[in-house]
mmCIF file of all heavy atoms in Angstrom:
data_model
loop_
_atom_site.group_PDB
_atom_site.id
_atom_site.type_symbol
_atom_site.label_atom_id
_atom_site.label_comp_id
_atom_site.label_asym_id
_atom_site.label_seq_id
_atom_site.Cartn_x
_atom_site.Cartn_y
_atom_site.Cartn_z
ATOM 1 N N TYR A 481 6.777 17.388 17.025
ATOM 2 C CA TYR A 481 7.484 17.401 18.326
ATOM 3 C C TYR A 481 8.280 16.180 18.550
ATOM 4 O O TYR A 481 7.991 15.098 18.031
ATOM 5 C CB TYR A 481 6.409 17.506 19.461
ATOM 6 C CG TYR A 481 5.653 18.883 19.475
ATOM 7 C CD1 TYR A 481 4.488 18.944 18.581
ATOM 8 C CD2 TYR A 481 6.077 20.047 20.182
ATOM 9 C CE1 TYR A 481 3.739 20.197 18.663
ATOM 10 C CE2 TYR A 481 5.318 21.113 20.074
ATOM 11 C CZ TYR A 481 4.144 21.123 19.276
ATOM 12 O OH TYR A 481 3.448 22.370 19.351
ATOM 13 N N GLY A 483 9.454 12.963 20.661
ATOM 14 C CA GLY A 483 8.768 12.059 21.463
ATOM 15 C C GLY A 483 7.274 11.792 21.128
ATOM 16 O O GLY A 483 6.534 11.408 21.850
ATOM 17 N N GLU A 484 7.016 12.129 19.860
ATOM 18 C CA GLU A 484 5.600 11.914 19.417
ATOM 19 C C GLU A 484 5.633 11.249 18.016
ATOM 20 O O GLU A 484 6.600 11.413 17.257
ATOM 21 C CB GLU A 484 4.754 13.182 19.405
ATOM 22 C CG GLU A 484 5.093 13.992 18.279
ATOM 23 C CD GLU A 484 3.885 15.028 17.855
ATOM 24 O OE1 GLU A 484 2.842 14.989 18.592
ATOM 25 O OE2 GLU A 484 4.037 15.775 16.934
ATOM 26 N N ILE A 485 4.583 10.619 17.642
ATOM 27 C CA ILE A 485 4.349 10.220 16.158
ATOM 28 C C ILE A 485 3.313 11.080 15.619
ATOM 29 O O ILE A 485 2.115 11.057 16.023
ATOM 30 C CB ILE A 485 3.969 8.670 16.152
ATOM 31 C CG1 ILE A 485 5.132 7.924 16.743
ATOM 32 C CG2 ILE A 485 3.856 8.328 14.743
ATOM 33 C CD1 ILE A 485 4.860 6.387 16.691
ATOM 34 N N LEU A 486 3.687 11.838 14.561
ATOM 35 C CA LEU A 486 2.757 12.635 13.754
ATOM 36 C C LEU A 486 2.319 11.872 12.562
ATOM 37 O O LEU A 486 3.155 11.662 11.735
ATOM 38 C CB LEU A 486 3.269 13.941 13.548
ATOM 39 C CG LEU A 486 2.459 14.920 12.598
ATOM 40 C CD1 LEU A 486 1.179 15.392 13.319
ATOM 41 C CD2 LEU A 486 3.216 16.079 12.129
ATOM 42 N N GLY A 487 1.106 11.494 12.489
ATOM 43 C CA GLY A 487 0.578 10.889 11.281
ATOM 44 C C GLY A 487 0.184 11.831 10.188
ATOM 45 O O GLY A 487 -0.223 12.969 10.459
ATOM 46 N N TYR A 646 5.830 -1.195 13.387
ATOM 47 C CA TYR A 646 5.113 -0.191 14.169
ATOM 48 C C TYR A 646 5.872 -0.251 15.561
ATOM 49 O O TYR A 646 6.079 0.850 16.224
ATOM 50 C CB TYR A 646 3.727 -0.689 14.519
ATOM 51 C CG TYR A 646 2.873 -0.800 13.274
ATOM 52 C CD1 TYR A 646 1.834 -1.800 13.212
ATOM 53 C CD2 TYR A 646 3.073 0.045 12.239
ATOM 54 C CE1 TYR A 646 1.024 -1.986 12.090
ATOM 55 C CE2 TYR A 646 2.235 -0.100 11.069
ATOM 56 C CZ TYR A 646 1.247 -1.059 11.000
ATOM 57 O OH TYR A 646 0.397 -1.193 9.967
ATOM 58 N N LEU A 649 9.035 1.977 15.192
ATOM 59 C CA LEU A 649 8.644 3.373 15.247
ATOM 60 C C LEU A 649 8.323 3.836 16.624
ATOM 61 O O LEU A 649 8.817 4.969 17.014
ATOM 62 C CB LEU A 649 7.470 3.635 14.223
ATOM 63 C CG LEU A 649 7.663 3.381 12.883
ATOM 64 C CD1 LEU A 649 6.306 3.664 12.076
ATOM 65 C CD2 LEU A 649 8.845 4.195 12.219
ATOM 66 N N ASN A 650 7.746 3.054 17.405
ATOM 67 C CA ASN A 650 7.452 3.367 18.812
ATOM 68 C C ASN A 650 8.758 3.507 19.512
ATOM 69 O O ASN A 650 8.760 4.406 20.533
ATOM 70 C CB ASN A 650 6.369 2.454 19.440
ATOM 71 C CG ASN A 650 5.028 2.904 19.387
ATOM 72 O OD1 ASN A 650 4.710 4.096 19.617
ATOM 73 N ND2 ASN A 650 4.045 2.038 19.111
ATOM 74 N N LYS A 653 10.221 6.806 18.931
ATOM 75 C CA LYS A 653 9.347 7.766 19.723
ATOM 76 C C LYS A 653 9.958 7.716 21.198
ATOM 77 O O LYS A 653 10.147 8.860 21.760
ATOM 78 C CB LYS A 653 7.956 7.463 19.632
ATOM 79 C CG LYS A 653 7.032 8.251 20.519
ATOM 80 C CD LYS A 653 5.598 7.790 20.491
ATOM 81 C CE LYS A 653 4.741 8.301 21.728
ATOM 82 N NZ LYS A 653 3.442 7.850 21.602
ATOM 83 N N VAL A 659 8.738 11.468 15.036
ATOM 84 C CA VAL A 659 8.511 10.489 13.932
ATOM 85 C C VAL A 659 7.273 11.059 13.187
ATOM 86 O O VAL A 659 6.248 11.319 13.717
ATOM 87 C CB VAL A 659 8.152 9.086 14.522
ATOM 88 C CG1 VAL A 659 7.691 8.023 13.427
ATOM 89 C CG2 VAL A 659 9.245 8.540 15.355
ATOM 90 N N ILE A 660 7.452 11.167 11.842
ATOM 91 C CA ILE A 660 6.397 11.659 10.941
ATOM 92 C C ILE A 660 6.110 10.348 10.032
ATOM 93 O O ILE A 660 6.986 9.857 9.344
ATOM 94 C CB ILE A 660 6.841 12.705 10.010
ATOM 95 C CG1 ILE A 660 7.267 13.898 10.911
ATOM 96 C CG2 ILE A 660 5.696 13.209 9.088
ATOM 97 C CD1 ILE A 660 7.768 15.155 10.069
ATOM 98 N N TYR A 661 4.839 9.891 10.247
ATOM 99 C CA TYR A 661 4.361 8.594 9.587
ATOM 100 C C TYR A 661 3.427 8.924 8.512
ATOM 101 O O TYR A 661 2.276 9.307 8.877
ATOM 102 C CB TYR A 661 3.968 7.671 10.628
ATOM 103 C CG TYR A 661 3.338 6.367 10.077
ATOM 104 C CD1 TYR A 661 4.155 5.275 9.802
ATOM 105 C CD2 TYR A 661 1.897 6.222 9.962
ATOM 106 C CE1 TYR A 661 3.667 4.077 9.422
ATOM 107 C CE2 TYR A 661 1.397 5.103 9.563
ATOM 108 C CZ TYR A 661 2.144 3.989 9.233
ATOM 109 O OH TYR A 661 1.701 2.884 8.785
ATOM 110 N N LEU A 672 -1.843 4.224 16.107
ATOM 111 C CA LEU A 672 -0.373 4.405 16.324
ATOM 112 C C LEU A 672 -0.042 5.777 16.731
ATOM 113 O O LEU A 672 0.866 6.071 17.480
ATOM 114 C CB LEU A 672 0.306 3.963 15.083
ATOM 115 C CG LEU A 672 1.858 4.177 15.061
ATOM 116 C CD1 LEU A 672 2.538 3.206 15.993
ATOM 117 C CD2 LEU A 672 2.400 4.015 13.548
ATOM 118 N N CYS A 673 -0.641 6.794 15.998
ATOM 119 C CA CYS A 673 -0.141 8.265 15.977
ATOM 120 C C CYS A 673 -0.792 8.979 17.091
ATOM 121 O O CYS A 673 -1.919 8.767 17.633
ATOM 122 C CB CYS A 673 -0.504 8.862 14.737
ATOM 123 S SG CYS A 673 0.194 8.008 13.372
ATOM 124 N N ASP A 674 0.027 9.939 17.695
ATOM 125 C CA ASP A 674 -0.486 10.881 18.742
ATOM 126 C C ASP A 674 -1.333 11.985 18.069
ATOM 127 O O ASP A 674 -2.338 12.277 18.632
ATOM 128 C CB ASP A 674 0.640 11.439 19.429
ATOM 129 C CG ASP A 674 1.551 10.368 20.124
ATOM 130 O OD1 ASP A 674 1.140 9.865 21.059
ATOM 131 O OD2 ASP A 674 2.680 10.222 19.639
ATOM 132 N N ARG A 675 -0.913 12.392 17.034
ATOM 133 C CA ARG A 675 -1.737 13.500 16.253
ATOM 134 C C ARG A 675 -1.729 13.061 14.753
ATOM 135 O O ARG A 675 -0.739 12.380 14.361
ATOM 136 C CB ARG A 675 -1.141 14.883 16.480
ATOM 137 C CG ARG A 675 -1.339 15.557 17.772
ATOM 138 C CD ARG A 675 -0.821 16.926 17.826
ATOM 139 N NE ARG A 675 0.558 17.009 17.363
ATOM 140 C CZ ARG A 675 1.065 17.962 16.575
ATOM 141 N NH1 ARG A 675 0.321 18.907 16.155
ATOM 142 N NH2 ARG A 675 2.359 17.996 16.245
ATOM 143 N N ILE A 676 -2.764 13.401 13.952
ATOM 144 C CA ILE A 676 -2.847 13.131 12.525
ATOM 145 C C ILE A 676 -3.163 14.338 11.805
ATOM 146 O O ILE A 676 -4.147 15.030 12.005
ATOM 147 C CB ILE A 676 -3.900 12.026 12.289
ATOM 148 C CG1 ILE A 676 -3.732 10.818 13.145
ATOM 149 C CG2 ILE A 676 -4.065 11.744 10.892
ATOM 150 C CD1 ILE A 676 -4.857 9.798 13.221
#
Side-chain angles (χ1 to χ4, degrees):
Y481 295 89
E484 78 156 3
I485 299 180
L486 174 68
Y646 303 148
L649 294 177
N650 262 320
K653 168 186 167 179
V659 180
I660 301 175
Y661 173 85
L672 175 69
C673 302
D674 299 291
R675 293 183 302 140
I676 301 168

